[in-house]
Amino acid sequence: MIQRPGPIALILAALVAAFLLLPLLAVVPISFTPARFLTMPKGELSLIHYRDLIDNPDWGRSMLLSLRIGIVSSVVATSLALAFGLGIWMFQPRFAALLVGIVLLPMIVPPVVSAMVLYFFLTSLSQINDLVGYDTWLGVTLAHVVMIVPFALVLILVALAQVDRRIDLAARGLGASISQRVFGIILPNIRFGVLTAALMAFVLSWEEIGVTLFVTSVNAITLPRMMWMGVHDNIDPAIAAISVVLIVITTLALTGRMLLQRQHPA
């Protein structure tokens, strides 16, 4: 029997949601201000700052760069986390807990420490290869992969924990190879967990700013760094406009994922 939440629980949930969302919604009216600084509009609305997003090519370049870095980082981080998680789940090595703890270190270490380590690593790498190093999109991608692999691994391990190990044992007893067990049995049972890990990895890479500030300068300007520069230098109201655009895109993406998961339950 499914227990549905009562009216009091729904009211409390709505209040909590409103408390969390209202600060985000505050940027919507600010994005329509005709002023050249961040302020609430006073009677007159304008789309001038949305036009700035189109007229200024820097916004488009930074968004495309963030999209490229986010997609590549998500694919690489999810693949690494999936390979590691499958190895831990299938073979159960003796020091599995220690190995998992080592992979999760970037999640535990303060971000500023990780950023400094990645900065020195990429600057040293720049002396060997100009393609993957400091202030390059591949260097930023490498830094993002290091930071987001632990989060993808956690989600994949949670998905694997819900798989009945007896299914894998039965397949192995019937002579199935490792690839047949992985692609024919395990992955179909954790597909939504893998997709969730990939989505989480993309979001974390898309919004990453702390590490990005350390490993970029003038060439690899991602969207979060572009927004940070606008806030830090001249409080550009276009930041409110791009924030509204990102809120809309995020809402549509999450709604689509919820509808897809409802139509195809795990």
Side-chain angles (χ1 to χ4, degrees):
M1 181 178 179
I2 300 178
Q3 294 183 352
R4 299 185 179 276
I8 297 179
L10 292 176
I11 293 174
L12 291 177
L15 291 175
V16 172
F19 176 77
L20 295 175
L21 293 176
L22 282 178
L24 295 177
L25 298 179
V27 301
V28 176
I30 295 177
S31 67
F32 292 102
T33 180
R36 303 304 303 178
F37 52 90
L38 290 176
T39 182
M40 284 289 184
K42 299 178 180 179
E44 182 182 358
L45 301 179
S46 175
L47 296 175
I48 182 175
H49 303 300
Y50 288 93
R51 287 198 298 269
D52 287 343
L53 299 180
I54 301 175
D55 296 337
N56 188 351
D58 292 338
W59 287 108
R61 282 195 293 264
S62 63
M63 184 175 294
L64 291 177
L65 179 62
S66 289
L67 186 62
R68 184 200 314 172
I69 292 174
I71 292 175
V72 176
S73 300
S74 175
V75 172
V76 175
T78 305
S79 301
L80 293 175
L82 180 60
F84 181 85
L86 287 173
I88 293 294
W89 188 84
M90 294 178 66
F91 301 106
Q92 295 183 320
R94 184 175 181 181
F95 302 104
L98 177 61
L99 294 175
V100 173
I102 293 175
V103 177
L104 296 182
L105 274 179
M107 183 187 295
I108 303 171
V109 175
V112 65
V113 176
S114 299
M116 291 181 62
V117 172
L118 289 169
Y119 166 76
F120 288 115
F121 172 72
L122 291 178
T123 51
S124 301
L125 198 61
S126 297
Q127 301 175 3
I128 303 174
N129 192 334
D130 293 335
L131 296 178
V132 183
Y134 177 77
D135 202 22
T136 63
W137 80 269
L138 286 176
V140 177
T141 301
L142 179 60
H144 285 193
V145 168
V146 173
M147 298 301 297
I148 64 182
V149 161
F151 297 92
L153 177 61
V154 169
L155 293 175
I156 289 175
L157 290 178
V158 170
L160 286 170
Q162 300 176 1
V163 178
D164 191 345
R165 190 176 295 276
R166 291 174 296 182
I167 302 177
D168 181 57
L169 294 176
R172 185 172 63 178
L174 293 173
S177 63
I178 294 179
S179 60
Q180 289 175 330
R181 290 157 56 194
V182 170
F183 294 100
I185 297 173
I186 301 176
L187 285 182
N189 284 280
I190 64 170
R191 60 186 184 278
F192 283 108
V194 175
L195 291 175
T196 302
L199 177 61
M200 174 66 73
F202 174 79
V203 171
L204 291 175
S205 174
W206 176 270
E207 69 175 9
E208 171 59 44
I209 181 60
V211 172
T212 305
L213 289 175
F214 276 79
V215 300
T216 60
S217 179
V218 295
N219 295 323
I221 305 297
T222 62
L223 183 60
R225 180 172 175 82
M226 186 76 177
M227 297 174 68
W228 182 86
M229 291 168 57
V231 173
H232 187 266
D233 295 337
N234 56 4
I235 315 298
D236 189 354
I239 298 173
I242 192 65
S243 298
V244 174
V245 174
L246 294 178
I247 290 173
V248 172
I249 293 175
T250 303
T251 303
L252 292 176
L254 293 177
T255 303
R257 179 186 174 278
M258 292 172 60
L259 294 176
L260 181 63
Q261 190 171 9
R262 179 175 297 181
Q263 294 177 359
H264 304 280

